Amino acid sequence: MPNPVATFDTSMGQIKCEIFLDQMPITASNFIDLANSGFYNGLHFHRVIPNFMDQFGCPYSKDPKSRRAGTGGPPDGTFKNLKTGGTETRSNGGNIKDEHAARISNEPGTLSMANTGAPNTGGSQFFMNVVHNDFLDWFSPGESKHPVFGKAVDKASFDVMVAISKVPTRDDCPNTPVMMKSVTVA
């Protein structure tokens, strides 16, 4: 069975990404569950940095100028692991356990889990890499560990990621909000 594809309909264009359910089933299932519930719809990119990444997925970013944007996660609860059929848990502020399964590098066009820097603190926030950020790989030396769970399927999608990273910002927050209208997974 092929991996699912997520379609990110943003105010700057559409991004399509393969979601690596086969290699990263916990992280991918968490993302798919949140996307299917409508969690991401109407949120804004709250942190974008050229030649680095676009960060997204904080529920407080529904208000694009919220000072709390970047600090929130999904509600605690459970979701189905779409590969194993088992039940996974979100707890302690909507966090999932770190999934250090597939050694996929934070290459341009990949989707990677954001976290607070502490173990097991990923939830709903993720970032889109616009350059090779291998220092963020969970299997690299250092403290910053961010597992990759998807990748842009074409150049047009990657070009939208790059365009978002280059918008004018103040303190890394876009001056003109960039909205995620919807995320669908098929």
Side-chain angles (χ1 to χ4, degrees):
M1 186 165 113
N3 278 327
V5 173
T7 301
F8 301 88
D9 185 16
T10 80
S11 58
M12 289 185 62
Q14 198 172 80
I15 300 166
K16 290 189 177 218
C17 295
E18 177 185 359
I19 304 302
F20 300 147
L21 182 61
D22 59 341
Q23 299 176 76
M24 300 295 287
I26 297 169
T27 308
S29 295
N30 175 64
F31 167 78
I32 292 166
D33 179 69
L34 292 170
N36 287 344
S37 76
F39 180 87
Y40 293 117
N41 300 349
L43 300 184
H44 296 83
F45 286 87
H46 65 271
R47 184 173 177 235
V48 301
I49 303 172
N51 299 308
F52 184 33
M53 59 88 221
D54 310 328
Q55 190 167 338
F56 173 77
C58 175
Y60 299 126
S61 72
K62 194 161 281 264
D63 171 0
K65 299 300 179 187
S66 172
R67 293 186 181 275
R68 296 179 71 192
T71 65
D76 288 353
T78 59
F79 60 97
K80 182 178 180 178
N81 183 315
L82 299 174
K83 183 175 180 182
T84 67
T87 299
E88 304 290 346
T89 302
R90 285 187 205 101
S91 59
N92 300 314
N95 298 321
I96 63 171
K97 63 184 175 184
D98 290 337
E99 186 171 30
H100 297 160
R103 292 172 62 96
I104 308 166
S105 190
N106 280 272
E107 294 179 0
T110 55
L111 306 178
S112 191
M113 281 300 294
N115 58 46
T116 67
N120 303 309
T121 57
S124 57
Q125 293 188 47
F126 62 92
F127 53 93
M128 299 174 172
N129 289 294
V130 298
V131 297
H132 193 183
N133 294 313
D134 58 345
F135 67 98
L136 297 176
D137 293 343
W138 67 263
F139 48 89
S140 69
E143 294 185 22
S144 201
K145 306 294 182 195
H146 300 276
V148 170
F149 66 96
K151 186 170 186 175
V153 299
D154 55 27
K155 185 179 182 319
S157 295
F158 179 66
D159 288 347
V160 174
M161 291 178 178
V162 171
I164 292 170
S165 76
K166 293 181 176 179
V167 300
T169 62
R170 179 180 174 129
D171 299 324
D172 299 331
C173 183
N175 293 341
T176 300
V178 180
M179 179 189 278
M180 186 66 67
K181 296 177 190 175
S182 66
V183 180
T184 54
V185 181

